[in-house]
Amino acid sequence: MTTELGHFALILAFAVAIVQMIVPLIGAHKRWPGWMAVAEPAAGAQFVLTALSFGALTWAFVVSDFSLNVVVANSHSAKPMLYKISGTWGNHEGSMLLWVLIVTLFGAMAAWFGGGLPPTLRARVLAVQSAIAVAFFAFIIFTSNPFLRLEVPPFDGQDLNPLLQDPGLAFHPPFLYLGYVGLSMAFSFAVAALIEGRVDAAWGRWVRPWTLAAWIFLTIGIALGSWWAYYELGWGGFWFWDPVENASFMPWLLAAALLHSAIVVEKRESLKSWTILLAILAFGFSLIGTFIVRSGLLTSVHAFANDPERGVFILAIMAFFMGGALVLFTLRAGAMEAKGVFGLVSRESALVVNNLLLAVACFVVFVGTMWPLLAEMFFDRKLSVGPPFFNAAFTPFMVALGLILPVGSVLPWKRARISRAMWPLRYVFVLALAVGGLAFVMQTGRSMLGPIGLFLGAWLVSGTVVELLQRTGRGDNRLGRLRRLPRADWGKAVAHGGLGVTMAGIAGLTAWTVDDIRVAQIGQPFDVGSYTLTLTDVQELRGPNYLSTTGFVTLSKDGSEIAQMTPEKRFYPVAQMPTTEAAIDYNLLRDVYVVIGDQQDNGGWTVRTYIKPMTNWIWIGCALMALGGLLSLTDRRFRVAAGARKFSAVPAE
């Protein structure tokens, strides 16, 4: 009964979405208040019905209802409860239902909290958002229905992919989807503004909170996925430039560019066309990510489905929304005339350079991701584009971005003198050079990657401190004025500092990792770097739904024991899949990372050990970036209704 209720709620939500897509658009065009008012209750009803449908599917996973095909394929009665719940979105059908649930959630939030928006703009925003929901409701119902029943239910299920049975990956998809789908609101605002024929400072202020929220969720989702890959896959890395990793990273880059571009629209009413285009492209790359994961076009460990028919449906959705928005953008280009002028040296110019670096970096990632497919289609050649290409092509843009951020942050609006702006940063620059030089002298090799990364990290972090101090002015009670700074200023400083911490962590990890692989005999110590490891025992253990070969390793340094480590090789009998569980001794300055392999003919065991400097700085920096975004989001000036009185919704003829 619960399953039928969920299925019915899904179909009813589809019908409500169609009404919300059509009626408010007609009402806004005809200026009929009653028709425009339909959008708000429809958005709320659409969300409630979709939540009911998703709740019914979740309940089916919780109680192991093996009459549903999706539960059979992705669950098992012996699976821990956390993974029964996460199994709801650990598959193609359930994850698409979560996708559309978040679309309706953002639409409902725009209806509930968008009271300050002009009625015509609000009606059009909600109609465009509902059009996105309609497309994905149709995709779910006609190609990926999660409520399909089996005529003869089996006794038990086939289990969830063991790689997904992990806390990090249980929460990674929801955060990532909140980011992906959050960009749909920026898209809806952009298309609605194009229909209205007006983009001004108030529009820039309205679109920023939605973009910022999406960017925060994307940051958290990407960081969780990176952390999971680091400790779960046993290869010791945090980023492989996998196509699906890139699919989440490209919208993150464009969302960051959109955030900075919207500032210029809000403050100076410039870069209007560019900002609208970024809003369209950011959501477009989210759709590209959805297409990559579900079409089977590119192979990835993260892929949900390999069904070309579903891929064609998503491609049609992407072509409709991207193509339609870009055509509308072309037709309305004349209505987005820039009002503010600025000099070559100014904060506006620095933000333009910021946007260009982020956009070109996104383009580089896109080309590297899609080139193997294009080479096979047009040249009949099978190519592989891996980390060496991305590291060489992408890194220079991030180095340049790190260099200009502190300078751009202290430049005044409209026009500036670079020498005057740089003067307060002179000591900071010397400090950053000293940190980089010290790293170069102390390292054993002569790689420049680590010193450059530490230089950029010190430059960004100390640069944000100087910027905050500048905002307090001179004289007494500077500490009090520092505390009273707007949260957006604090948020920007924390986020930029977090980027510096992440850059330093990535550079240190990449440049100074120590790798050792050997056959270890039980009871015989061996040295890796400055540490001594001893494999004391290997046991066969049983977990809740897996069998484990567990090694017991003693980690010591200078004769003193530091930790007992237990790397594992797990085997899941139901799914017939093995996984690797690395043992990691975490530390702020380094991680010791141990993986156990197979037993060898001489009785020893393959053991791989890494000494990884500064690894945790990567995720600390990501957490700081997300915290900075959250601080900015709580600034009262960035509420959706702020500045509503400044907007005059006059549609273009």
Side-chain angles (χ1 to χ4, degrees), residues 183 186-194 199 203 207 211 250-251 253-255 257-259 261-262 265 270-286 288 321-333 336 355-356 359-360 362:
L183 290 173
F187 176 86
S188 297
F189 268 94
V191 172
L194 289 172
V199 179
W203 179 89
V207 81
T211 306
M250 290 185 288
L253 291 169
L254 290 178
L258 176 58
L259 277 175
S261 181
V265 175
S270 296
L271 303 184
K272 294 179 182 178
S273 297
W274 174 246
T275 305
I276 291 286
L277 182 60
L278 280 176
I280 295 171
L281 291 178
F283 180 60
F285 272 89
S286 294
I288 289 173
F321 285 103
M322 288 290 291
L326 291 174
V327 168
L328 188 58
F329 174 80
T330 304
L331 295 175
R332 294 296 200 197
M336 293 179 284
N355 270 228
L356 290 175
V360 175
C362 177

Side-chain angles (χ1 to χ4, degrees), residues 361-415:
C362 177
F363 177 73
V364 167
V365 176
F366 178 72
V367 169
T369 303
M370 301 303 295
W371 184 248
L373 173 65
L374 297 176
E376 185 173 356
M377 288 176 60
F378 296 107
F379 307 111
D380 196 25
R381 294 180 59 190
K382 290 190 176 293
L383 299 177
S384 176
V385 178
F389 165 80
F390 289 104
N391 293 337
F394 177 82
T395 303
F397 296 104
M398 292 298 100
V399 172
L401 182 67
L403 285 172
I404 70 164
L405 269 181
V407 180
S409 296
V410 298
L411 286 175
W413 294 101
K414 203 169 184 179
R415 63 178 58 89

Side-chain angles (χ1 to χ4, degrees), residues 1-9 53 56-57 59-60 63 65 67-68 71 146-149:
M1 180 63 184
T2 303
T3 300
E4 281 70 26
L5 181 62
H7 197 181
F8 176 73
S53 179
L57 183 62
W59 180 250
V63 299
D65 181 0
S67 67
L68 283 183
V71 179
F147 295 104
L148 294 180
R149 285 192 180 273

Side-chain angles (χ1 to χ4, degrees), residues 1 15 25 42 47 64 95 112 130 134 188 204 210 250 273 290 326 337 342 353 398 445 515 536 564-565 596 600 602:
M1 180 63 184
L25 270 184
F47 168 66
S64 297
S95 65
W112 297 334
S130 189
V134 165
S188 297
W210 300 105
M250 290 185 288
S273 297
T290 305
L326 291 174
E337 182 182 355
F342 51 87
V353 175
M398 292 298 100
D515 181 9
T536 58
Q564 289 288 336
M565 307 178 70
I596 190 167
Q600 303 301 306
N602 62 0

Side-chain angles (χ1 to χ4, degrees), residues 334-569:
M336 293 179 284
E337 182 182 355
K339 293 183 179 179
V341 294
F342 51 87
L344 183 62
V345 179
S346 62
R347 183 173 296 189
E348 294 95 326
S349 294
L351 288 169
V352 169
V353 175
N354 163 289
N355 270 228
L356 290 175
L357 289 171
L358 288 168
V360 175
C362 177
F363 177 73
V364 167
V365 176
F366 178 72
V367 169
T369 303
M370 301 303 295
W371 184 248
L373 173 65
L374 297 176
E376 185 173 356
M377 288 176 60
F378 296 107
F379 307 111
D380 196 25
R381 294 180 59 190
K382 290 190 176 293
L383 299 177
S384 176
V385 178
F389 165 80
F390 289 104
N391 293 337
F394 177 82
T395 303
F397 296 104
M398 292 298 100
V399 172
L401 182 67
L403 285 172
I404 70 164
L405 269 181
V407 180
S409 296
V410 298
L411 286 175
W413 294 101
K414 203 169 184 179
R415 63 178 58 89
R417 291 172 55 191
I418 190 67
S419 58
R420 185 173 181 180
M422 281 293 295
W423 187 249
L425 295 172
R426 63 193 185 280
Y427 297 121
V428 167
F429 188 74
V430 172
L431 173 63
L433 280 177
V435 171
L438 181 64
F440 181 77
V441 171
M442 292 183 65
Q443 67 181 0
T444 54
R446 284 295 176 260
S447 168
M448 289 301 298
L449 180 60
I452 289 174
L454 289 188
F455 162 76
L456 288 175
W459 170 240
L460 281 165
V461 172
S462 53
T464 59
V465 173
V466 169
E467 182 196 355
L468 285 175
L469 292 176
Q470 275 193 301
R471 290 185 175 275
T472 63
R474 298 181 179 180
D476 299 331
N477 198 28
R478 296 184 70 182
L479 183 60
R481 290 195 293 272
L482 188 65
R483 288 198 302 266
R484 291 193 295 273
L485 284 176
R487 290 184 183 177
D489 292 344
W490 278 103
K492 181 178 75 169
V494 172
H496 286 182
L499 178 62
V501 173
T502 295
M503 283 183 170
I506 292 173
L509 172 65
T510 305
W512 300 319
T513 292
V514 177
D515 181 9
D516 177 88
I517 184 168
R518 67 178 66 218
V519 176
Q521 299 292 334
I522 293 178
Q524 294 184 7
F526 58 94
D527 294 331
V528 180
S530 59
Y531 297 91
T532 300
L533 296 94
T534 306
L535 179 64
T536 58
D537 194 11
V538 178
Q539 298 180 12
E540 300 292 333
L541 304 175
R542 179 179 291 275
N545 61 333
Y546 60 84
L547 304 175
S548 171
T549 300
T550 304
F552 294 85
V553 178
T554 301
L555 175 67
S556 58
K557 183 176 182 179
D558 298 330
S560 300
E561 182 178 318
I562 297 174
Q564 289 288 336
M565 307 178 70
T566 54
E568 298 180 60
K569 281 179 65 70

